[in-house]
Amino acid sequence: MPRFAYKALDSTGRTLSGEAESPDRKRLLQQLAQKGLKPVAVEFLGEQVASDEEVEHIDFFRQSARRSRFKFFKAGKSTLALEFLKRLHVLLSSGMSIGDAVSLLSQRLSDPQMKELCESVWKRLSEGHTLASAMRAENAIFQPSTVHLVEAGEASGNLKPVLERVVAYMEEVRDVRKRLISNLTYPAFVLSTAVVVIIILLTFLLPRIETMLDQLGGELPLITKMLISGSNAAITFGPYLLLGIIGVVIGLRQWRKSASGRRTTDLWLLKTPIIGRIYLYSNIYGTTNLMSTLLGSGVNTTETLRLVERTIPNLILRGKFASARKQIQEGVSMATAIQRVHYMPDLAMDILTVGENTGNIVTSLNDINKIYREELTKSLNILTNTTVAVALGGAIFLVAVIAVSVVFSVLSVGQSLQL
């Protein structure tokens, strides 16, 4: 309610001042007159706010905290690792020690997964372990390359800049993954919507038109007969086809667990049009990013190559990188060894050669990373546009065919009614 400050004269002529609440100025003057006061000045102070006692107990964040404790989808391992390292870097940058920073995180965080991770790391730190050793025990969350970087940072006394580079690398990898998922979401939505519409038309609308024409003695158009036959065949054999597809997928997954199956499917992935190119660019992007991070953090070349090799998921590409690593250990230059096994394109090798000759190999790796990050973005856009075009084109064609068949069927019904 509005508040006013006033000055008034009482019956003795003495000046009184005070504050009062009133819906408006006119109502306040009436209230003062009823008390025998003669107003001299009235000033509007604003709306009355709740007192500290009334609002201090209200917790507007209780629901969000409750949702975080009972959320249905748990954070991924990479997300947990990234969030832990980001928070740790912020606290270390403010001047806190490693132990105090982890202890504070274990006490203050409300997310159960993060809290459990911080408590586990803090327990090992309190027992005298280093941060790298404590992270190594959480091998399901932290990758070996990340642990090794932290270990190098602790040994050299440069943990804060190392964590900054690690966080930047992990954020870039996360952004690329998010971009890939978002680019494929719209085509998947368009395709699934078209499939649902087609199923509804084939399973509900056309059968009813067929029933009406049978009752009226009419004849379905040829295109409608073909659609209905296709629909009946899909309904009859669709479950068997679905079971067959599921069986093939399960069989491929089991076969992929073997050495020969894993190698063959990895080779198929690399040879797949568009997707194979995206996979190659993604591998170059990830490899060069991690190599520049490791080398820039003071890790020696031999250990860097060994750690990077372990992070390559594709067996074909890992084999190429392993062959290049062995040649580098034998004294061959990095650019020459990588070029011999055709692990990267010639453009990347030219940049890497310049970096080796000038002693700025980390800068060259960063340049390669930027180039193929842009190429990866272009390839993702091509994949998205192609998928959208195919999905929309196929959906439009099928809906058009169904629409034409429905129109012809309705005309046939009309002719049957006239007869």
Side-chain angles (χ1 to χ4, degrees):
M1 182 177 293
R3 289 187 63 82
F4 297 89
Y6 65 86
K7 289 184 179 181
L9 300 176
D10 61 9
S11 58
T12 63
R14 187 177 53 177
T15 302
L16 301 176
S17 61
E19 296 181 2
E21 297 180 15
S22 182
D24 52 42
R25 183 186 182 91
K26 183 179 180 180
R27 185 68 176 272
L28 176 62
L29 296 176
Q30 294 175 354
Q31 292 175 355
L32 294 175
Q34 290 175 359
K35 295 179 180 180
L37 299 176
K38 183 178 180 180
V40 175
V42 176
E43 180 183 358
F44 176 67
L45 297 180
E47 294 288 337
Q48 170 69 14
V49 298
S51 63
D52 293 341
E53 293 78 6
E54 293 175 329
V55 299
E56 64 182 7
H57 67 282
I58 302 176
D59 186 359
F60 297 102
F61 305 100
R62 180 180 301 173
Q63 294 299 324
S64 60
R66 185 178 301 172
R67 285 194 296 267
S68 66
R69 290 194 296 268
F70 297 100
K71 57 186 178 182
F72 296 99
F73 300 101
K74 293 185 177 181
K77 298 175 182 177
S78 59
T79 302
L80 280 177
L82 175 58
E83 290 301 320
F84 173 79
L85 294 176
K86 284 175 62 177
R87 295 171 187 267
L88 180 62
H89 176 257
V90 170
L91 294 178
L92 293 181
S93 300
S94 66
M96 296 184 66
S97 65
I98 298 176
D100 291 340
V102 177
S103 175
L104 181 63
L105 289 175
S106 65
Q107 296 172 11
R108 295 294 181 85
L109 294 177
S110 58
D111 183 271
Q113 289 181 274
M114 283 293 297
K115 190 175 183 66
E116 181 181 357
L117 173 62
C118 293
E119 289 176 348
S120 177
V121 174
W122 164 241
K123 180 181 179 182
R124 289 181 173 85
L125 288 176
S126 61
E127 294 173 353
H129 294 275
T130 63
L131 176 62
S133 176
M135 291 171 58
R136 187 175 288 111
E138 302 293 335
N139 54 6
I141 296 176
F142 298 105
Q143 294 185 354
S145 57
T146 302
V147 175
H148 195 86
L149 277 170
V150 172
E151 187 175 20
E154 286 184 296
S156 62
N158 297 319
L159 182 59
K160 286 187 289 185
V162 168
L163 283 179
E164 184 177 1
R165 293 180 66 91
V166 172
V167 169
Y169 164 73
M170 295 177 70
E171 285 181 336
E172 287 189 11
V173 173
R174 180 195 60 185
D175 291 341
V176 170
R177 187 182 297 112
K178 284 185 176 180
R179 195 180 305 121
L180 176 61
I181 294 174
S182 63
N183 285 347
L184 295 178
T185 299
Y186 178 67
F189 172 75
V190 171
L191 187 60
S192 60
T193 303
V195 169
V196 170
V197 171
I198 292 170
I199 291 175
I200 292 174
L201 290 174
L202 291 177
T203 56
F204 291 97
L205 184 58
L206 286 181
R208 292 190 178 185
I209 294 177
E210 181 183 18
T211 302
M212 290 175 59
L213 285 175
D214 288 340
Q215 294 175 351
L216 296 172
E219 185 177 356
L220 287 174
L222 178 61
I223 187 172
T224 307
K225 290 180 179 180
M226 294 175 61
L227 281 174
I228 292 177
S229 299
S231 175
N232 293 333
I235 294 174
T236 303
F237 300 104
Y240 301 103
L241 179 62
L242 181 61
L243 290 175
I245 294 174
I246 294 175
V248 170
V249 171
I250 294 175
L252 285 175
R253 288 175 63 88
Q254 294 298 322
W255 182 46
R256 184 172 167 77
K257 292 180 180 179
S258 65
S260 60
R262 175 72 180 273
R263 186 177 181 84
T264 302
T265 52
D266 283 348
L267 183 60
W268 288 351
L269 177 62
L270 294 172
K271 290 184 176 181
T272 304
I274 302 179
I275 295 179
R277 180 175 294 273
I278 291 176
Y279 194 85
L280 283 172
Y281 288 160
S282 176
N283 181 77
I284 295 173
Y285 165 80
T287 300
T288 54
N289 201 342
L290 184 56
M291 287 178 65
S292 65
T293 301
L294 290 166
L295 293 174
S297 302
V299 182
N300 62 67
T301 303
T302 302
E303 188 66 16
T304 293
L305 295 175
R306 185 183 67 83
L307 289 172
V308 171
E309 178 185 334
R310 294 173 61 181
T311 62
I312 301 174
N314 190 284
L315 291 183
I316 304 299
L317 296 178
R318 189 189 299 175
K320 286 177 173 289
F321 193 89
S323 178
R325 178 178 62 82
K326 293 177 182 178
Q327 295 181 42
I328 294 171
Q329 291 176 345
E330 294 172 357
V332 180
S333 68
M334 184 180 296
T336 302
I338 293 177
Q339 190 171 26
R340 284 179 180 177
V341 300
H342 306 287
Y343 185 79
M344 294 183 186
D346 293 338
L347 174 61
M349 293 302 93
D350 293 338
I351 298 175
L352 191 58
T353 301
V354 173
E356 284 190 301
N357 293 335
T358 59
N360 295 322
I361 190 169
V362 174
T363 303
S364 296
L365 288 171
N366 287 330
D367 292 338
I368 296 172
N369 178 264
K370 292 178 182 178
I371 291 173
Y372 286 95
R373 180 172 54 188
E374 295 176 358
E375 293 294 330
L376 178 60
T377 302
K378 292 179 183 178
S379 299
L380 287 173
N381 291 335
I382 292 174
L383 175 62
T384 302
N385 295 334
T386 303
T387 307
V388 170
V390 172
L392 285 176
I396 291 173
F397 174 76
L398 289 176
V399 170
V401 171
I402 294 173
V404 170
S405 66
V406 170
V407 170
F408 285 169
S409 301
V410 170
L411 293 176
S412 298
V413 172
Q415 293 176 356
S416 299
L417 291 175
Q418 291 176 359
L419 296 175

